[in-house]
């Protein structure tokens, strides 16, 4: 039976969590990346399709491949982050459905409908990016998501075969609290929610 | 200083969490909806733009307005769910930026670029839908997300002014564990993650 998580957990996941641009000089090891994937992978996706693919950049060489595609504002902080995850979508995600969604044969549904493939890949890889952000926070990491980059340049550099598309990018590390500025507000309940 | 959440919390959020089609006959009151919004609203969005809007359907009348637009497979379970959230995107989300993103005047950036508006609304309202799913689980609720519906019909019924688009739908309640079938597998680490 599920209960409400305690306040410390709710604070860590949502209420006190912040997006960071600057991180402490503390590396993220392979085991932490594996623990992160072993949480986020359980987040739900349509047809259990899991279209997201994750490129985890930690070496200077990998960061330099990404750097030219980043907006000026995002470049230095991304190169400096302990890890940078390129969240991409596999355009042929439905090839995995016979294994990942054994309930019935859903692959032909996608093979016949490129617009459905695109909408499903975009929506669900975005959901999976959000699962990554929250799984990172659950593991005590901080995230810095960003979408200011030249997507065509990222695709050309990292996915030259044309089979994947970048969706967005998330820097990961242990956030430097001294680098935070004032937090933005949020829409009020009445602005965002309608009860019917 | 953040720590790793305990195993019970990680289980509840990710490892043991399931998507439910059937819920126990237990209603969700206004205070729970408000508590849900007060968590999910803190999830990060680009430019703090928060493009998602949430229609929470609990009355039979509201459910009947949605029913004809649902796929056959999703209709009965959605009508029966204690609450159904239509996650929509506000096409004019950037009108709120002067208040929500005081750092600089970002509204003209969007006003001049409809493709950026659409991509930002789609990606970020999807992220916000994932925040809703995980915030629900953090509050002990269960979610049943679905995308099998006629989007044009939902838009026509609920957003006749053309200023919003449905993204996806999430049923909420306290899941009936007797209704679960075997869980789908997940892609292995090597299939989904590349370390660079």
């Amino acid at each position: 039976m599920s209960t409400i998580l305690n306040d410390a957990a709710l604070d860590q996941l949502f209420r006190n969590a912040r997006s960071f641009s600057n991180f402490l000089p503390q590396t993220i090891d392979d085991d932490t990346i594996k623990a992160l994937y072993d949480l986020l992978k359980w987040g739900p996706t349509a047809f259990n399709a899991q279209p997201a693919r994750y490129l985890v950049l930690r070496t200077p060489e990998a960061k330099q491949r990404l750097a030219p595609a980043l907006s000026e504002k995002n470049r230095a902080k991304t190169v400096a982050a302990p890890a940078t995850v390129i969240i991409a979508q596999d355009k042929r995600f439905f090839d995995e459905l016979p294994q990942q969604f054994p309930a019935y044969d859903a692959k032909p549904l996608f093979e016949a409908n490129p617009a459905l493939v695109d909408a499903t890949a975009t929506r669900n890889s975005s959901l999976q990016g959000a699962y990554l952000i929250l799984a990172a926070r659950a593991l005590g990491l901080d995230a810095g998501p960003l979408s200011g980059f030249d997507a065509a340049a990222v695709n050309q550099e990292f996915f030259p075969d044309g089979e994947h598309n970048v969706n967005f990018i998330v820097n990961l590390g242990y956030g430097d609290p001294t680098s935070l500025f004032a937090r933005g507000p949020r829409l009020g309940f009445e602005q965002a929610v309608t009860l019917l």
Side-chain angles (χ1 to χ4, degrees), chain A residues 13-30:
Chain A
L13 292 167
F14 293 104
R15 296 189 296 222
N16 290 348
R18 298 290 305 275
S19 293
F20 280 85
S21 290
N22 299 309
F23 298 91
L24 302 172
Q26 190 175 342
T27 57
I28 299 179
D29 62 17
D30 287 8

Side-chain angles (χ1 to χ4, degrees), chain A residues 44-184:
Chain A
T45 55
F47 291 91
N48 195 33
Q50 308 162 69
R53 301 292 180 269
Y54 312 88
L55 263 59
V56 181
L57 282 55
R58 289 177 295 177
T59 62
E61 294 73 23
K63 294 295 189 93
Q64 287 309 322
R65 290 175 60 193
L66 177 61
L70 296 167
S71 71
E72 189 62 31
K73 185 175 144 297
N74 289 326
R75 190 172 297 128
K77 70 182 186 184
T78 300
V79 169
T84 297
V85 185
I86 297 175
I87 296 168
Q89 51 212 49
D90 184 342
K91 297 180 188 178
R92 297 279 312 180
F93 67 84
F94 48 85
D95 285 337
E96 308 291 338
L97 288 181
Q99 289 77 46
Q100 299 300 314
F101 186 73
Y104 61 90
D105 187 8
K107 187 175 167 182
L109 183 72
F110 289 97
E111 278 181 314
N113 193 341
L116 181 66
V117 169
D118 189 52
T120 302
T122 298
R123 179 184 301 114
N124 288 279
S125 69
S126 298
L127 298 183
Q128 291 180 280
Y131 303 148
L132 179 139
I133 292 168
L134 285 165
R137 291 173 172 180
L139 292 176
L141 291 161
D142 293 295
L146 59 97
S147 51
F149 54 82
D150 179 339
V154 174
N155 290 335
Q156 190 170 11
E157 175 62 31
F158 290 94
F159 310 111
D161 63 7
E163 291 178 4
H164 299 73
N165 270 334
V166 62
N167 184 335
F168 69 111
I169 290 174
V170 180
N171 289 324
L172 293 176
Y174 298 91
D176 178 359
T178 68
S179 71
L180 289 172
F181 47 86
R183 195 180 202 180

